[in-house]
Amino acid sequence: MRFSPKNASALLLAPGLLLVAGCGGRVSAFTGLSDKTVAIHAAATHIDTNGTTRYSATLANGEPAKVEWSVSGGDPSAGPGRITPEGLYIPPSYLTQDDVTVSVNAAFAEAGAGAATPAGTASLTVTPGFLQPLTPGNLSLGAGGSVTISGSMTEVGGSGGIRFTLASDVAGTPSASGTISSPHCVRGSVSGSNPAYTVCSVVYTAPAVIPASGSVFIVGSVASSVTSSPTLSWTRVLLNSDGISSNPAGHQAHLAVPVQLGSSSGNNSDYDSNQGKLSDCCGGTLGALLQDNSGNQYVLSNNHVLARSDQSIPGETVIQPGLIDNGCTPYGLGPGATPVATLTGYPSLSSPTTNVDAAIARVTLGAVDSKGSILELGAKQSDGTLAAAPPGISSTGGKGEAAALGMMVAKSGRTTGLTCAVVSAVNVDVVVDYFTDCAETTRSLTKTFTNQIAIAGTSFSDAGDSGALVVDTENAEPVWLFFAGGTDANGVEHAIANPVADVLATLDNQVSGTNGQATYGFVGGADHLVSCLRYGSTKTVDEAASASRLSTEERARVDAALPLAQALLNPVAGLNRVGVAAGKDHPGEGAIAFYLEPGSNIPAGIPSSVGGIPTVVLMAPAQSGDSTAQATAPPISPLRSSTLNQALAAKQRNAAALFKSNPAIFGVGVGQSLDNPADAALVLYVDRKKVAGTLPEFVEGQRVRVILMDRLHVTRSHGSPAHTASSCSDSFRNGVLHQDAAEPGFQPFEDKLQLPE
């Protein structure tokens, strides 16, 4: 995903967070004309500068009232914001006070008179929000290590700031794992038309002794006296007993030449402009170094990072860092970026025969590390940081490995740095949206990719990591090229990547090198281990399936099948009892639980369903006398090849029909069942905003696993705050509406960069 602060790829609100305003309900009633009573409705009575809310008006009889909308009051400097003819209120991008009151006014238009008669008014409180999530968003520290966490809020002056707390989860449960300093805030002021926002920072220091790895959170909140529900953002810190220190900030910096891969980059022309002024810009990741059969070297990344989603022509300049990390200042118009390559070519995304999102650029002499070193891919150094190192190519001659379900992989990207996760699904067919502009206001195409790979892991990837090379942690051999992703309801990121064999083959067939048609391979060195940084889950509830989460009707449906399940008990195999549980493959639906004795392996022969009800396998708690102990999921082991192949065949036969059966389905692949890891499952990626009707629990007898998440697209990040959707329907990341987040160093939209005539 390319990164742009305003429209970073949307993620779901994590469990335990509260929104700053509720949705729905009448706000006020007002008597306007003598024969009409108008009620004004709004989705919220309080929002922050990241949100929007929609207004409507009704007559006394309940019929919609046709009114003209206007706003007044608000901030003395930034104004009241604006409201569209359809009633969508959009606040100003910053405030000079801790909170302001905006009057939203409705008026009847008098036919033929060109005037309007007041019909009603409502008050709305607006408070500052986060300009961006806390940075860095994730990092790793060893014992006694320290790091500065910072955040920006959309307040110019005023007395407000960001409050930081140390927590064991994203819900804010207090933690004693380390310490945080008192916050230091620099409150900006209006200078001409360019506001300097309030920036607050805090220093976190890890404990002197770390017995085992685990996550701790620094939670930032922007609260006000008008709401008990603050806007939240957080940084996840991976505390590790190995003493590894890893901070993604180094991937976003302006590096000295020759630059390493895994760093911020992009096309020098990847920006939006309005009336000759630059308004937004994008960036992604320099993924890897390729070499053709003539010895010429090229940087590899995504088409949507280097070639602006088919909009570029060969010869355009690739810079490091990307515009997103240089205040949206193109090379040639100011300092802070280095030209490192020249766009050579790319397989066209618009072509139905193209099945990869890739582009290459010829390296500028001396500008890129000629050994293909990737940031943090190497061994731990004496200070705890990770050295840069080339990928491994000694096993495959630079052609990369094939995928394997359950493989542990790593990627080094612009936004989240070095992270590790497991391959969660293979042979994935997925629909991805592309846009012509950084602000994602104009859709260019919607493309279906086939036979892709999915990787699932907390904090594995985020917007701006697009183009990062994914490698096998056992040998650092290239495996995939990351290009899209999103987050599910449990806070787990799902990354989608092109197999590198397909990337190289497509480049060989479609992109000519410097000396004509070429054959490409990865530049690297000897195979080596990767220091794996794997972040814990964001879940704040017990992982075990709990029947208490089921509706009465669903509980009764499962209860009816229990007698059939009891006949299948086998004490010799460790199956001593059955019960009712909430299934994990189908959120919200019930399952029959087979409880295994501690230490038992999953026996063969447990059916995938009993009486039409899916089954789930759980490990019974040890006999510890603890009445609060709960059952847990059994350990995951590799699928038998015959089991996997059977599911792959079923997926191939049914994928097209599944896409047609429900418009919410945007991806179909094959992975392991969460209810019984010994079984394969068809994995459905489902748009949580559009899901309707029923989704299948089985296809040709194969289990189906449903992942509810936001639709995938390859977002880019951009610099000017803008509001295009309601906070009652749009997704949040770290409790922050993505479309209004901005990166450090970005010029706010009031001071756009003037482009040359």
Side-chain angles (χ1 to χ4, degrees):
M1 296 174 284
R2 275 191 292 177
F3 188 75
S4 171
K6 185 166 57 180
N7 274 8
S9 55
L11 307 183
L12 299 180
L13 188 69
L17 291 186
L18 299 174
L19 304 187
V20 296
C23 294
R26 175 174 294 186
V27 173
S28 66
F30 181 89
T31 302
L33 299 177
S34 59
D35 60 341
K36 292 183 179 180
T37 299
V38 174
I40 296 179
H41 306 265
T45 58
H46 163 239
I47 61 174
D48 66 25
T49 52
N50 291 318
T52 62
T53 189
R54 188 174 294 278
Y55 283 85
S56 62
T58 57
L59 300 172
N61 60 7
E63 294 182 357
K66 295 182 179 180
V67 297
E68 294 181 350
W69 296 101
S70 64
V71 291
S72 58
D75 188 87
S77 177
R82 61 189 178 91
I83 190 167
T84 68
E86 297 76 26
L88 179 66
Y89 172 74
I90 302 164
S93 63
Y94 70 95
L95 301 179
T96 60
Q97 304 176 8
D98 294 346
D99 58 78
V100 299
T101 300
V102 174
S103 293
V104 179
N105 311 303
F108 291 111
E110 295 185 14
T117 302
T121 188
S123 294
L124 176 69
T125 300
V126 181
T127 56
F130 278 103
L131 183 67
Q132 62 182 39
L134 297 186
T135 56
N138 64 283
L139 62 112
S140 175
L141 281 179
S146 63
V147 65
T148 298
I149 310 296
S150 64
S152 300
M153 55 183 291
T154 57
E155 186 169 58
V156 180
S159 60
I162 299 173
R163 299 165 186 162
F164 297 90
T165 57
L166 186 59
S168 59
D169 52 42
V170 296
T173 304
S175 171
S177 296
T179 60
I180 56 173
S181 68
S182 298
H184 174 68
C185 291
V186 177
R187 295 180 174 87
S189 60
V190 177
S191 175
S193 60
N194 183 9
Y197 301 106
T198 296
V199 179
C200 298
S201 61
V202 68
V203 176
Y204 168 74
T205 302
V209 177
I210 300 175
S213 295
S215 288
V216 66
F217 297 83
I218 291 87
V219 179
S221 61
V222 176
S224 74
S225 60
V226 299
T227 177
S228 59
S229 304
T231 300
L232 300 177
S233 181
W234 65 85
T235 292
R236 187 193 323 272
V237 181
L238 177 63
L239 300 175
N240 65 97
S241 55
D242 295 326
I244 294 175
S245 176
S246 172
N247 191 330
H251 296 247
Q252 300 163 24
H254 183 199
L255 303 180
V257 295
V259 304
Q260 289 84 36
L261 290 305
S263 57
S264 170
S265 183
N267 190 300
N268 195 48
S269 300
D270 202 0
Y271 54 76
D272 302 341
S273 61
N274 182 20
Q275 296 182 344
K277 293 185 177 181
L278 188 150
S279 56
D280 292 300
C281 61
C282 306
T285 299
L286 282 178
L289 190 65
L290 300 183
Q291 186 165 298
D292 65 18
N293 50 316
S294 298
N296 302 302
Q297 292 189 334
Y298 308 83
V299 291
L300 169 69
S301 189
N302 293 142
N303 177 316
H304 73 269
V305 172
L306 299 185
R308 299 183 290 131
S309 301
D310 283 0
Q311 297 181 89
S312 294
I313 59 175
E316 292 184 354
T317 299
V318 173
I319 58 174
Q320 196 289 318
L323 292 173
I324 190 68
D325 293 311
N326 189 37
C328 291
T329 305
Y331 175 75
L333 293 182
T338 300
V340 294
T342 302
L343 183 66
T344 300
Y346 52 88
S348 174
L349 291 169
S350 61
S351 170
T353 62
T354 299
N355 198 38
V356 298
D357 183 342
I360 59 172
R362 175 75 184 274
V363 170
T364 301
L365 184 64
V368 177
D369 185 285
S370 61
K371 297 180 180 179
S373 295
I374 298 175
L375 291 172
E376 299 193 295
L377 205 64
K380 186 181 75 170
Q381 303 179 101
S382 59
D383 62 354
T385 61
L386 299 173
I393 64 168
S394 55
S395 297
T396 64
K399 298 303 180 181
E401 288 184 351
L405 190 65
M407 175 187 286
M408 182 67 70
V409 295
K411 73 98 195 68
S412 177
R414 174 258 175 208
T415 303
T416 55
L418 180 73
T419 54
C420 300
V422 296
V423 177
S424 56
V426 296
N427 197 216
V428 180
D429 298 347
V430 63
V431 180
V432 180
D433 297 329
Y434 286 85
F435 297 82
T436 60
D437 58 339
C438 295
E440 296 183 3
T441 61
T442 306
R443 190 189 308 272
S444 61
L445 62 94
T446 296
K447 185 175 181 65
T448 299
F449 293 87
T450 60
N451 195 31
Q452 303 299 295
I453 302 300
I455 306 157
T458 303
S459 292
F460 177 74
S461 60
D462 205 342
D465 287 329
S466 272
L469 184 68
V470 181
V471 302
D472 184 346
T473 59
E474 291 295 319
N475 53 24
E477 284 276 355
V479 190
W480 307 287
L481 185 67
F482 169 62
F483 76 102
T487 302
D488 67 21
N490 293 326
V492 175
E493 280 79 32
H494 296 265
I496 306 297
N498 303 141
V500 294
D502 293 350
V503 171
L504 294 179
T506 305
L507 291 173
D508 290 349
N509 293 330
Q510 298 188 25
V511 180
S512 297
T514 305
N515 300 322
Q517 199 62 38
T519 300
Y520 301 95
F522 288 96
V523 175
D527 291 358
H528 59 89
L529 289 172
V530 177
S531 298
C532 204
L533 300 179
R534 191 176 183 190
Y535 292 78
S537 171
T538 62
K539 289 178 69 63
T540 58
V541 298
D542 192 276
E543 291 282 356
S546 173
S548 65
R549 301 201 297 269
L550 299 176
S551 66
T552 302
E553 295 78 8
E554 187 66 10
R555 174 74 186 243
R557 186 175 77 97
V558 181
D559 279 338
L562 276 180
L564 295 174
Q566 288 169 345
L568 301 175
L569 291 177
N570 184 355
V572 175
L575 290 175
N576 289 324
R577 66 185 180 97
V578 296
V580 178
K584 298 181 193 176
D585 285 341
H586 273 254
E589 296 186 13
I592 292 174
F594 284 86
Y595 291 91
L596 288 176
E597 291 303 311
S600 301
N601 295 319
I602 301 176
I606 295 179
S608 59
S609 66
V610 174
I613 306 297
T615 60
V616 59
V617 178
L618 295 171
M619 303 298 295
Q623 301 299 320
S624 61
D626 182 1
S627 60
T628 64
Q630 298 191 40
T632 58
I636 296 178
S637 56
L639 289 174
R640 296 187 299 272
S641 59
S642 58
T643 300
L644 177 60
N645 290 336
Q646 186 176 358
L648 288 169
K651 178 263 174 183
Q652 288 298 100
R653 290 190 292 267
N654 292 278
L658 286 167
F659 278 116
K660 292 180 180 179
S661 69
N662 194 316
I665 297 174
F666 62 84
V668 181
V670 174
Q672 281 183 272
S673 166
L674 296 183
D675 287 338
N676 184 352
D679 289 346
L682 271 62
V683 181
L684 302 185
Y685 298 87
V686 180
D687 187 340
R688 57 105 185 176
K689 295 180 182 178
K690 295 183 178 180
V691 62
T694 59
L695 295 167
E697 293 181 329
F698 301 95
V699 172
E700 291 188 9
Q702 297 291 325
R703 291 180 183 264
V704 172
R705 177 185 168 195
V706 174
I707 299 176
L708 295 175
M709 59 187 294
D710 284 321
R711 185 181 173 92
L712 297 173
H713 61 97
V714 284
T715 39
R716 303 170 290 175
S717 217
H718 49 107
S720 67
H723 310 260
T724 58
S726 168
S727 63
C728 289
S729 61
D730 278 72
S731 299
F732 291 70
R733 180 184 68 209
N734 288 8
V736 180
L737 188 65
H738 282 210
Q739 63 194 29
D740 292 306
E743 275 296 286
F746 274 84
Q747 295 171 315
F749 76 100
E750 290 84 3
D751 189 26
K752 300 184 181 75
L753 184 66
Q754 184 74 47
L755 297 176
E757 296 294 335

